[in-house]
Amino acid sequence: MLKLCRRTWLAALLLSILPALSMAQFGVSISVNQAPPELPVYEQPPIPGEGYLWSPGYWYWDGDAQDYFWVPGTWVQAPQPGLLWTPGYWGYTDGAYRWNPGYWGPQVGFYGGVDYGHGYGGEGYEGGYWQGGRLFYNTAVVNVGTTHITNVYVKNVTVNNVTVNWVSFNGGSGGIQARPTAAQQAYSRETHVPPTAAQQSHVTAARSNPALQAKANHGNPSIAATAKPGDLSHGVIAARGAPAHPETVPPHAAAAPHPAVTEHGGTPRNEGPTTHAASPPPAEHPTTGPLAPRPAPNPRERPGPTEQRAPIENHSAVSENPALSAHPATAHPPAAPARPPAPARPPAPARPPAPEHPEPR
């Protein structure tokens, strides 16, 4: 009877921890035939307090719904000081996409080269480090907000990959072709700590929210990040998509003199009908408005006898620009018509020869 009670108790205990083990994504093999969607773009909510580490969002698979669902990025506390979070990732092997679960460890291991953002640029973590049992945060990456944290520093992160993409899996066609280094392979053989209970409940809450399924949000979930795990109502950040151009123009760009104004860092927007960035117009025509009338010519500034001017019908400025022909003041005066030759005079009667003298001029 005692043995039966022990068996019953062990069976009940096993059944109680099986859901937690499955949700822990630790040691559970998941294989899917379709690739996960691209990673959405979102802002990081402010850190809720000291001792929290960022766990980036990712796509996970719901076998019941036969669809991917988004697990929002969130702030979590390490299970013990000195541990860092290595995110999980999807890897394409043997004709299927398999999930490699995340884990806690003294170093950040290989996570497929996936650029999760917010310090996880594909290799390592640039958001902070442990020292003396305390976390020091890189404010160039971590959104401290108004939270009072004194153990901070600034280290700018350089992104060497100029081709920005939001691919969420490693290997296969269209996947990230990163491979683990020798050091990362050594990290993978170390003793790891599985996701915490708060992380497990966070996945459970995301799975139960239909709006987080890929078929419903089309890759842009309305809950892309949260301030704390499991809370999908407070401190929620929505996905904003990947902008094709910068959203703002630097203040100094507006003050710089330039014949054209650019919008969103791209296509030039002409301010006037005669503005051309490649070949600027003559100085007498403004670059940001209609053509100004040319002053009337001064009669005392007529061309000299050695200057030749083409007739008006051949003047390129008038024939090419109808706006000039609409203003008579802007046209050049027509050339005077040629005088007819004077009629021949009758010969004068013969006179007696006069004394030679120079002819007057």
Side-chain angles (χ1 to χ4, degrees):
M1 182 68 179
L2 182 59
K3 290 182 179 181
L4 182 61
C5 292
R6 286 180 178 177
R7 291 176 181 175
T8 304
W9 178 80
L10 288 174
L13 178 62
L14 182 61
L15 289 175
S16 64
I17 65 176
L18 275 178
L21 289 175
S22 62
M23 292 310 300
Q25 312 163 40
F26 202 80
V28 178
S29 177
I30 300 177
S31 179
V32 186
N33 292 327
Q34 65 185 71
E38 291 186 349
L39 297 171
V41 181
Y42 59 91
E43 302 295 335
Q44 185 183 63
I47 187 172
E50 186 176 343
Y52 281 83
L53 273 167
W54 181 250
S55 174
Y58 58 94
W59 293 104
Y60 197 55
W61 180 255
D62 186 355
D64 296 333
Q66 289 295 296
D67 188 19
Y68 286 98
F69 68 96
W70 178 251
V71 179
T74 189
W75 290 102
V76 296
Q77 290 181 312
Q80 64 187 56
L83 297 183
L84 298 171
W85 174 248
T86 297
Y89 70 96
W90 292 95
Y92 185 83
T93 56
D94 300 331
Y97 300 90
R98 303 181 187 277
W99 176 250
N100 298 271
Y103 58 86
W104 293 93
Q107 295 91 10
V108 177
F110 182 70
Y111 50 91
V114 178
D115 185 2
Y116 286 111
H118 309 294
Y120 296 95
E123 182 176 352
Y125 178 59
E126 297 289 348
Y129 64 90
W130 288 94
Q131 182 175 332
R134 298 184 65 188
L135 268 170
F136 286 77
Y137 298 96
N138 181 10
T139 55
V141 175
V142 174
N143 183 10
V144 175
T146 58
T147 306
H148 181 68
I149 297 179
T150 57
N151 42 316
V152 296
Y153 66 98
V154 177
K155 178 185 176 183
N156 293 324
V157 179
T158 302
V159 179
N160 296 323
N161 183 14
V162 296
T163 303
V164 179
N165 62 71
W166 312 109
V167 178
S168 60
F169 62 93
N170 176 277
S173 177
I176 300 171
Q177 303 302 320
R179 295 295 179 266
T181 63
Q184 291 170 340
Q185 290 177 350
Y187 297 159
S188 65
R189 294 189 291 267
E190 294 178 349
T191 301
H192 300 150
V193 178
T196 64
Q199 289 176 289
Q200 298 173 27
S201 63
H202 188 63
V203 178
T204 303
R207 185 195 298 267
S208 60
N209 191 325
L212 293 179
Q213 293 183 0
K215 294 177 182 178
N217 56 52
H218 305 288
N220 288 290
S222 59
I223 307 174
T226 63
K228 290 185 177 181
D231 188 355
L232 305 183
S233 302
H234 304 88
V236 171
I237 303 294
R240 60 179 175 85
H245 303 287
E247 296 178 351
T248 58
V249 177
H252 63 273
H258 197 276
V261 179
T262 57
E263 291 182 334
H264 304 293
T267 306
R269 176 172 57 88
N270 292 333
E271 290 295 304
T274 60
T275 301
H276 300 284
S279 57
E284 62 266 19
H285 300 293
T287 58
T288 57
L291 291 175
R294 184 179 297 174
N298 191 338
R300 288 181 295 180
E301 297 180 356
R302 301 292 293 273
T306 59
E307 181 181 352
Q308 296 180 356
R309 187 181 298 273
I312 188 171
E313 60 271 14
N314 296 329
H315 196 277
S316 59
V318 177
S319 60
E320 294 178 0
N321 194 342
L324 290 176
S325 61
H327 301 278
T330 62
H332 298 287
R339 295 181 179 180
R345 295 181 180 182
R351 292 183 180 181
E356 294 182 1
H357 60 83
E359 184 178 355
R361 297 182 181 272

